[in-house]
Amino acid sequence: MVKEDRDEAAPEPRARALRPVQRSRLYEQLVERLLALVDELDLQPGQRLPPERELASSLGVSRASVRQALVVLEVQGLVEVRQGEGAVLLENRSTSTVLSAAKAHTRRLQEVIEAREALEVKLAALAAQRRTEDDLVAIDKALERMEADVERGDRGLEGDERFHRAVTAAARSALLADLMTEISSAIKESRIESLSQPDRPRQSLASHRRIAEAIRAGDAAGAAEAMGEHIRLVSDVAILRDGD
């Protein structure tokens, strides 16, 4: 009986060994290649990486895939994507460190989106109830800044940040404002991810305007609904769609 029990248990280690091999995501492979290229070219901080079109052709992938990998590096502060200049190297780190941080960022991104929805929907409703004329001026100026940036082909990061900051200020809730400050760095990462999606800056600007209109009208329910729709829009990012 003992021998039979041992024979029946024998296939178990083999079954574990034959589990499917986990494939890395495309963006992870491209990040590795881009970092290898930085080393190969001996690029120093302040120098530009090759243009997206050239990188896509050399790597045999789409420009969208290259752009996604660059966004991963930008979120971590390794590169800065500048309008009309491309990606500029800010600093260099080991590949293992970068990939580990990228995976951690991807894992927490959905949680950041959930936190934004929980906080900012309420903030929008409160802003509609408590806003002053000065608050409306700040919101309008943020929209103007984002529109100007988007019109010249930029992503509108600064205007986007100013808009959400103005809505938070208009809500006059010190505790909610403190919670927003606590996750501000994570929100900045998600903002870069979102506004790097094709046509997203214009879509985001349009949804900001709908939120602003509801706040101006004192429509708390409408402001909350518009903010909820906006968070759902900006949560659609390539890094979460790129499955294993």
Side-chain angles (χ1 to χ4, degrees):
M1 286 296 293
V2 174
K3 184 177 186 302
E4 288 179 359
D5 290 343
R6 189 164 54 245
D7 289 342
E8 288 175 1
E12 186 177 344
R14 182 170 59 189
R16 285 198 298 267
L18 292 176
R19 286 178 299 177
V21 175
Q22 188 175 18
R23 295 183 296 113
S24 62
R25 296 179 177 220
L26 176 59
Y27 81 82
E28 293 175 11
Q29 299 174 45
L30 292 178
V31 165
E32 287 186 90
R33 298 288 293 276
L34 290 175
L35 292 175
L37 179 64
V38 167
D39 287 340
E40 182 181 328
L41 298 177
D42 193 26
L43 294 181
Q44 301 301 312
Q47 293 183 307
R48 290 194 296 271
L49 276 70
E52 282 182 9
R53 188 184 303 277
E54 180 181 330
L55 290 171
S57 177
S58 299
L59 295 169
V61 296
S62 67
R63 290 184 66 181
S65 295
V66 170
R67 192 173 300 118
Q68 181 185 351
L70 289 172
V71 167
V72 171
L73 297 179
E74 184 177 16
V75 164
Q76 296 186 49
L78 273 74
V79 304
E80 180 182 357
V81 179
R82 299 174 182 170
Q83 175 65 22
E85 293 186 47
V88 178
L89 184 69
L90 298 180
E91 65 173 274
N92 209 340
R93 296 181 207 150
S94 69
T95 300
S96 60
T97 299
V98 172
L99 288 178
S100 177
K103 291 174 183 178
H105 164 72
T106 303
R107 286 193 297 269
R108 72 172 178 269
L109 184 55
Q110 188 59 53
E111 294 181 355
V112 173
I113 292 166
E114 291 169 357
R116 289 192 66 183
E117 186 169 17
L119 294 172
E120 295 195 69
V121 168
K122 182 61 177 178
L123 284 166
L126 292 175
Q129 296 170 337
R130 301 172 178 176
R131 88 288 184 277
T132 65
E133 286 302 316
D134 286 344
D135 293 323
L136 294 177
V137 169
I139 289 172
D140 287 343
K141 286 184 176 179
L143 291 173
E144 290 169 5
R145 171 60 187 269
M146 187 172 184
E147 180 179 23
D149 289 346
V150 172
E151 286 300 320
R152 66 168 182 266
D154 203 351
R155 291 173 293 181
L157 290 166
E158 177 65 25
D160 186 291
E161 182 178 359
R162 288 186 185 184
F163 176 80
H164 287 278
R165 193 163 60 237
V167 172
T168 297
R172 284 175 175 71
S173 171
L175 181 56
L176 290 179
D178 286 345
L179 292 173
M180 287 294 291
T181 299
E182 284 292 320
I183 63 171
S184 60
S185 61
I187 290 177
K188 182 178 180 179
E189 293 178 356
S190 71
R191 178 173 289 118
I192 293 172
E193 289 280 2
S194 181
L195 292 176
S196 297
Q197 306 300 298
D199 202 38
R200 180 60 54 75
R202 290 188 181 279
Q203 295 170 346
S204 185
L205 177 59
S207 65
H208 281 176
R209 285 175 173 150
R210 287 191 288 273
I211 296 166
E213 288 170 4
I215 290 174
R216 186 179 299 277
D219 181 0
E225 181 180 1
M227 182 63 84
E229 291 175 353
H230 173 66
I231 299 300
R232 287 189 286 276
L233 167 69
V234 302
S235 69
D236 181 18
V237 294
I239 200 169
L240 294 180
R241 296 194 302 267
D242 185 10
D244 290 331

